[in-house]
């Protein structure tokens, strides 16, 4: 199965004193890519439940190489696995540039839980959410 591909911009203020993208900003860029998947793409397909509540329950990031500031997009590929009753995991590869063959600079995974903001409790994934996530299952 092909991964979901997002493009995220690198901003001038994303770099640190060493003139590369700051490690904490890399996590924000991954979040921006994730939003394109679970909010934008899912919402465009009528799967709106993620926008009603999604909780990060775990995060792991491995930095493979520095990303120097350049006024261009970064390619982030995402796959989904470990889909359970209320949880799933997204795995990321952030490339140093917009091309598919760009070197992978960051790999990461985020564990997520569907969450009911009213009751402040996890909720089960709906059939539509599971089907949507299944499109990106590795």
């Amino acid at each position: 199965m092909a991964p979901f591909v997002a493009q995220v911009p690198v901003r001038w203020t994303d770099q640190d004193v060493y003139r590369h993208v700051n490690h904490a900003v890399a996590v924000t860029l991954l979040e921006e890519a994730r939003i394109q998947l679970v909010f934008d793409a899912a919402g465009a397909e009528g799967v709106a439940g993620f926008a009603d509540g999604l909780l990060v329950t775990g995060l792991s990031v491995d930095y493979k190489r520095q990303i120097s500031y350049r006024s261009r997009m970064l390619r982030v590929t995402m796959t989904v696995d470990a889909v359970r009753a209320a949880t799933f995991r997204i795995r990321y590869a952030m490339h140093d540039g917009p091309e598919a063959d760009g070197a992978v600079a960051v790999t990461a995974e985020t564990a997520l839980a569907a969450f009911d903001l009213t009751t402040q409790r996890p909720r089960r994934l709906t059939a539509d959410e599971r089907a949507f996530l299944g499109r990106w299952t590795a």
Side-chain angles (χ1 to χ4, degrees):
M1 178 107 4
F4 181 88
V5 178
Q7 300 281 338
V8 293
V10 178
R11 297 159 296 247
W12 178 257
T13 56
D14 291 343
Q15 62 185 323
D16 60 19
V17 69
Y18 303 112
R19 288 186 252 146
H20 63 257
V21 172
N22 180 274
H23 69 282
V25 171
V27 172
T28 299
L29 294 173
L30 293 171
E31 178 182 44
E32 290 177 10
R34 182 173 66 245
I35 287 167
Q36 291 179 38
L37 173 62
V38 296
F39 293 170
D40 299 344
E45 293 185 22
V47 181
F50 296 130
D52 293 334
L54 201 55
L55 183 68
V56 173
T57 62
L59 172 67
S60 173
V61 182
D62 290 312
Y63 301 94
K64 308 292 186 187
R65 60 183 288 144
Q66 295 179 10
I67 300 172
S68 298
Y69 173 78
R70 290 177 306 290
S71 174
R72 64 182 186 156
M73 304 294 260
L74 299 179
R75 177 186 177 90
V76 180
T77 59
M78 290 170 276
T79 57
V80 175
D81 68 0
V83 178
R84 305 287 187 260
T87 63
F88 61 97
R89 179 173 50 207
I90 298 176
R91 294 183 183 267
Y92 312 81
M94 182 185 300
H95 298 256
D96 185 7
E99 300 85 15
D101 62 350
V104 174
V106 177
T107 59
E109 59 183 51
T110 303
L112 298 145
F115 198 73
D116 184 321
L117 294 172
T118 303
T119 64
Q120 290 293 296
R121 299 183 55 85
R123 64 167 178 81
R124 291 189 172 272
L125 293 166
T126 67
D128 287 344
E129 290 168 339
R130 294 173 81 66
F132 176 81
L133 294 172
R135 292 183 45 209
W136 314 110
T137 300

